[in-house]
């Protein structure tokens, strides 16, 4: 039976999806994720710009520094278990209570360790900056509340992301209203760090409610030490990859904050904010098709690689659709959104928006590596990208500031997502598929 929305499609698209239940389920799930991200993109961008204008580049830079510190250590809290949990629940649905209970326990312990490390690192890097220390200590609670995203993984395995959208969007809307109120009340910068933690806390409550609404009970979760050892054995390369990935994703802001000024970091962070709005696109698409990619690998190798090529083509196409117009409109976009105080962010945005193309394909490539269980390869790819990012930031930031950090990001994203694939023989087929997607991207 067709989903209700199919009847509203143009004839050429309706013909492709009509009667294909799995495809319709994937598209419905992706639609919910897109709806979630579009709302966040619209409301989040508006509120974020409002906050940036209110705080000014210097204080906005301090808030961004704290956010980056928490983001780097978030990989420890996640433990690299996301894709593994989805894979295991799909394969063994009868053991999902044990899987979820064990993962939740592991993540609570890891998130507490991540919180302490984030705060400790801030005291070490900025021993005399009490405000930065306080911001990280307050915002770090997002790491602990994030443990409840274990429930999100269960919904992903069932391709039912609409319930996650209900929970997280409700939290996001409430927190956005609070942020708006803080601007009107002329609140200090630490209050905005607290609003971030509030959003994650409300999202955790919402996920628990949605899980219960679907007839599931957290009280039935069980912890199994043997399973914990197996999961950690499978995930440690992904944990290291996640740490390295977050380093190369956020090290630019941390190094810019250390080697330049908070003002320059605030300007750079405004460009990053616009460029990262679009990261939801590959994530939403890949999270919806990942269960089907796993099934295809186990039944039909030709179909498996065919689906991957279509995924690469689509994500490259969407990357170009965003990057090309942004290149020509960056100055207008920055001035319109952030005002003259942030005008120097335009060239940074031009560079950063092209990193999105490489990031899109890297998300799809990572799904392939997970399906093949090549987690150690993913670690090496990500490490090379992080190494390139650190070295390039060290060379370029002192001379070029935020523009140098943006250039370092573009190059390192290409290295980690595409270039490094040519160094490993089993991945050269994948590298060729990605190259074809660059040269001949297609929507379908």
């Amino acid at each position: 039976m067709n989903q209700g929305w199919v009847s509203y499609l143009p004839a050429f698209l309706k013909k492709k999806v009509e009667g294909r239940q799995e495809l319709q389920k994937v598209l419905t799930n992706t639609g919910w994720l897109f709806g979630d991200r579009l709302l966040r993109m619209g409301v989040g961008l508006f509120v974020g710009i409002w906050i940036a204008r209110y705080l000014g580049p210097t204080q906005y830079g301090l808030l961004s520094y704290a956010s980056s510190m928490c983001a780097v250590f978030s990989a420890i809290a996640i433990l690299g278990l996301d894709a593994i949990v989805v894979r295991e629940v799909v394969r063994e649905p009868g053991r999902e209570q044990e899987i979820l209970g064990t993962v939740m326990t592991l993540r609570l312990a890891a998130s507490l360790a991540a919180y302490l490390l984030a705060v400790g690192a801030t005291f070490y890097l900025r021993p005399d900056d009490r405000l930065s220390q306080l911001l990280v200590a307050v915002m770090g609670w997002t790491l602990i509340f994030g443990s409840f995203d274990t429930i999100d993984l269960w919904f992903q395995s069932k391709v039912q992301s609409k319930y996650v959208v209900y929970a997280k969007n409700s939290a996001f809307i409430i927190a956005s209203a609070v942020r708006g109120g803080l601007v009107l009340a002329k609140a200090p910068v630490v209050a905005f760090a607290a609003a971030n933690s509030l959003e994650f806390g409300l999202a955790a409550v919402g996920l628990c409610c949605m899980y219960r609404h679907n007839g599931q009970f957290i009280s039935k979760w069980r912890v199994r030490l043997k399973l914990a050892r197996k999961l950690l054995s499978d995930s440690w390369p992904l944990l290291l990859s996640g740490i390295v990935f977050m380093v190369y994703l956020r090290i630019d802001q941390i190094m810019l904050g250390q080697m330049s000024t908070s003002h320059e970091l605030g300007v750079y962070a405004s460009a990053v904010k616009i460029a990262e709005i679009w990261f939801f696109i590959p994530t939403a698409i890949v999270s919806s098709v990942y269960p089907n990619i796993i099934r295809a690998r186990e039944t039909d190798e030709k179909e498996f690689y065919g689906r991957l090529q279509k995924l690469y083509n689509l994500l490259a196409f969407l990357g170009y659709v965003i990057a090309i117009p942004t290149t020509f409109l960056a100055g207008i976009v920055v001035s319109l959104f952030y005002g003259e105080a942030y005008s120097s962010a335009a060239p940074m945005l031009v560079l950063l928006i092209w990193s999105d193309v490489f990031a899109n394909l890297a998300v799809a490539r990572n799904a392939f590596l997970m399906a093949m269980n090549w987690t150690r390869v993913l670690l090496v790819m990500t490490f090379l990208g992080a190494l390139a990012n650190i070295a390039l930031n060290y060379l370029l930031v002192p001379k070029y500031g935020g523009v140098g950090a943006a250039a370092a990001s573009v190059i390192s994203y290409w290295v980690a997502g595409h270039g490094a694939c040519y160094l490993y023989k089993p991945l050269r087929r994948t590298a060729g598929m990605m190259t074809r997607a660059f040269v001949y991207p297609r929507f379908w």
Side-chain angles (χ1 to χ4, degrees):
M1 185 176 179
N2 290 329
Q3 301 278 351
W5 53 265
V6 173
S7 60
Y8 297 100
L9 291 175
F12 75 99
L13 287 178
K14 184 176 180 181
K15 183 178 179 180
K16 290 181 177 292
V17 303
E18 198 166 27
R20 301 174 66 181
Q21 300 304 315
E22 283 299 319
L23 177 59
Q24 290 178 32
K25 188 176 181 180
V26 166
L27 291 175
T28 299
N29 193 69
T30 304
W32 277 101
L33 292 173
F34 263 74
D36 170 49
R37 294 303 177 179
L38 286 172
L39 176 64
R40 289 173 177 270
M41 181 176 68
V43 177
L45 183 61
F46 173 78
V47 175
I49 290 169
W50 196 12
I51 292 171
R53 282 176 172 265
Y54 163 67
L55 293 176
T58 300
Q59 285 202 312
Y60 189 61
L62 289 171
L63 190 65
S64 299
Y65 182 87
S67 177
S68 296
M69 286 297 296
C70 293
V72 166
F73 289 96
S74 67
I76 297 175
I78 294 171
L79 285 175
L81 286 169
D82 281 8
I84 290 174
V85 173
V86 174
R87 183 188 70 194
E88 293 302 313
V89 172
V90 169
R91 288 177 175 175
E92 300 184 78
R95 298 187 64 197
E96 63 183 33
Q97 306 292 349
E98 294 180 6
I99 295 170
L100 295 175
T102 302
V103 169
M104 183 67 172
T105 302
L106 290 172
R107 282 192 164 179
L108 281 172
S111 62
L112 179 59
Y115 176 82
L116 296 175
L117 287 170
V119 173
T122 307
F123 272 82
Y124 175 77
L125 293 172
R126 294 194 168 190
D128 301 319
D129 189 347
R130 299 304 179 199
L131 181 55
S132 290
Q133 295 165 7
L134 179 59
L135 288 172
V136 173
V138 172
M139 198 180 296
W141 279 91
T142 60
L143 299 171
I144 296 172
F145 292 135
S147 301
F148 287 85
D149 275 356
T150 302
I151 299 172
D152 182 353
L153 302 178
W154 181 81
F155 283 114
Q156 285 186 38
S157 71
K158 306 302 180 184
V159 198
Q160 294 180 356
S161 292
K162 67 177 181 179
Y163 298 105
V164 177
V165 173
Y166 291 153
K168 293 192 174 183
N169 263 353
S170 298
F172 170 71
I173 291 170
I174 293 171
S176 295
V178 170
R179 292 183 182 106
L182 293 174
V183 172
L184 294 174
K186 300 187 183 304
V189 64
V190 69
F192 295 94
N196 282 13
S197 294
L198 172 66
E199 179 181 342
F200 276 70
L202 292 174
V205 173
L207 285 171
C208 291
C209 292
M210 288 297 102
Y211 189 68
R212 178 65 183 85
H213 176 75
N214 278 266
Q216 306 297 318
F217 298 89
I218 294 179
S219 60
K220 292 184 177 181
W221 289 5
R222 295 292 179 266
V223 181
R224 297 288 183 263
L225 293 179
K226 183 177 180 180
L227 178 59
R229 287 193 292 268
K230 178 183 182 301
L231 290 172
L232 290 175
S233 176
D234 288 345
S235 72
W236 72 262
L238 291 175
L239 168 60
L240 293 179
S241 296
I243 294 171
V244 175
F245 174 75
M246 291 310 301
V247 166
Y248 103 84
L249 187 66
R250 294 299 182 188
I251 197 64
D252 51 354
Q253 296 192 48
I254 293 175
M255 291 183 72
L256 187 59
Q258 292 294 124
M259 301 171 72
S260 186
T261 64
S262 295
H263 182 279
E264 182 75 358
L265 174 55
V267 171
Y268 179 76
S270 69
V272 171
K273 184 76 172 178
I274 298 173
E276 289 187 351
I277 289 172
W278 312 103
F279 279 9
F280 79 92
I281 294 176
T283 304
I285 293 173
V286 172
S287 66
S288 292
V289 303
Y290 183 64
N292 287 333
I293 288 175
I294 294 174
R295 295 186 188 100
R297 179 182 178 251
E298 295 177 354
T299 57
D300 189 334
E301 183 178 0
K302 183 178 179 180
E303 178 69 14
F304 172 61
Y305 281 101
R307 290 184 181 183
L308 282 171
Q309 185 66 68
K310 290 178 180 178
L311 184 59
Y312 292 138
N313 293 343
L314 173 61
L315 294 182
F317 174 82
L318 294 174
Y320 285 133
V321 165
I322 295 165
I324 292 173
T326 303
T327 299
F328 295 101
L329 299 174
I332 297 173
V333 170
V334 170
S335 295
L336 180 64
F337 286 175
Y338 289 96
E340 289 303 313
Y342 293 86
S343 60
S344 57
M348 304 176 195
L349 176 58
V350 171
L351 290 169
L352 288 170
I353 203 66
W354 283 99
S355 68
D356 287 3
V357 179
F358 305 127
N360 282 7
L361 289 173
V363 173
R365 192 279 315 272
N366 293 348
F368 164 72
L369 293 178
M370 283 303 306
M372 300 295 290
N373 202 27
W374 290 354
T375 53
R376 290 170 178 78
V377 177
L378 177 57
L379 172 59
V380 174
M381 302 289 107
T382 311
F383 175 77
L384 292 174
L387 193 63
N389 203 6
I390 293 171
L392 289 167
N393 272 286
Y394 183 78
L395 292 173
L396 299 176
V397 165
K399 187 173 182 179
Y400 301 105
V403 173
S409 293
V410 175
I411 298 170
S412 62
Y413 272 50
W414 173 79
V415 169
H418 181 229
C421 293
Y422 285 102
L423 302 177
Y424 183 55
K425 188 174 181 180
L427 272 182
R428 288 174 188 166
R429 178 178 182 179
T430 299
M433 294 169 67
M434 296 172 75
T435 301
R436 284 194 292 276
F438 280 128
V439 175
Y440 185 43
R442 285 170 286 175
F443 178 72
W444 194 265

